Amino acid sequence: MTTLSHNGSLRGRRLPKAVPPVIAVAAVLASVAGIYGTGAGGWVLTVVVAALVFALVTLAVAWAVEGGRHARDRLATIAVYGAFIIALLPLGSVIITLLRKGTSRLDADFFYHSMNNITALDSGGGAYHAIIGTLEQVGIACVLAIPLGLAAAVYIVEYGRGRLASTIRFFVDVMTGIPSIVAGLFILAFWVLIVTPVFNHGRPGYSGFAAALALTVLMLPTIVRSAEEMLRLVPTALREGSYALGVPKWKTIMRVVLPTALPGIVTGVMLALARAAGETAPVLLVAGGTPAINFNPFSGNQESLSYFVYEQAGAASKYAPGRAWTAALTLIALVAILTIAAKLLARRSKIGR
């Protein structure tokens, strides 16, 4: 049913804005009374029943007042918001659990001491050595992976033609699905057992640098694919305008294309960094882990936060779970800080301004 407004335009009947909230409150009250009154279930079933009642009643009321098209639109809107909330539930649960359990060891001892000489009966000890190892390993991996990944993406988009570009895309796709332990085994077989014995009197050289090489293998495909997609989104008109002004192609890529795609490239890099920072298998295979502090990533075993969490989660000590939860919270906070910093730096690009 439609009505004619004062300016002559047709306007359909719509539900007042207060109706959906009233229906939602009524659905919650009815669900609580029905579920808890009969003892049929707990809060999870109550929420599910309330959501279903809200959706059905809203659909019926909207169909009677607004018509079928608007009613279906409201039902689709409810489904989208519901899916969004359901997708947020695991993330919210993880964050709440980390904040609840990970704050038990947020003290100076945790951040300024290692696990060297700490036994299962000691409540002290910290993850200082693991934080150092994570920063060094991920930093070296970024130094190696970001230039290689960007160079490969630029070649594929700007220069790549024919069989070579197709081959690079194929291997990048294959590398995307490689498990982390396979990357660790590759570096173990090649770098640790073949290359380092040549310079280490015939002995395998476990080190943080070997772990960084494995993390580089894991980061490369994510950086290449994300950078490739972002470079393809740069309008062709920007390139053509630069060429029309007589700017060489390499300078157009450096001064126009890359700054334009920089925010998206940074997002891909941070996704790769987050994955690398949370990997345990490569560190276990090629760095070995150690309870002592090792500032030299090129010599000797080295720890990481992810490996520290793995160790403490399986340790036979009542104090170990607290260290594991705090280390997990520290790792997430570290990745979040790096992501925010990278995003802020990306906003300062010339094209972005």
Side-chain angles (χ1 to χ4, degrees), residues 23 26 69 93 99 120 142 159 177 216 218 222 224 235 239 248 277 306 312:
I23 296 175
R69 182 169 64 87
S93 176
L99 291 176
C142 287
Y159 297 97
T216 301
L218 297 174
T222 303
V224 174
R239 297 181 177 89
S306 58
Q312 295 301 311

Side-chain angles (χ1 to χ4, degrees), residues 317-337:
S317 171
K318 65 178 182 179
Y319 305 109
R323 301 190 195 105
W325 282 109
T326 304
L329 180 61
T330 302
L331 180 59
I332 291 180
L334 183 63
V335 173
I337 291 172

Side-chain angles (χ1 to χ4, degrees), residues 15 19-20 23-24 52-64 66 71 74-75 78:
L15 284 177
V19 172
I23 296 175
L52 291 176
V53 171
F54 171 71
L56 294 176
V57 173
T58 302
L59 176 64
V61 174
W63 199 293
E66 300 177 326
R74 285 187 179 273
L75 184 61
I78 293 173

Side-chain angles (χ1 to χ4, degrees), residues 1-3 11-13 65-67:
M1 178 179 179
T2 58
T3 59
R11 183 177 58 191
R13 296 176 60 188
V65 176
E66 300 177 326

Side-chain angles (χ1 to χ4, degrees), residues 154-166 169 232 249:
V154 169
Y155 173 77
I156 292 173
V157 176
E158 303 294 338
Y159 297 97
R161 298 293 184 273
R163 185 172 300 177
L164 180 57
S166 300
R169 291 193 190 95
R232 292 188 188 279
K249 186 171 184 176

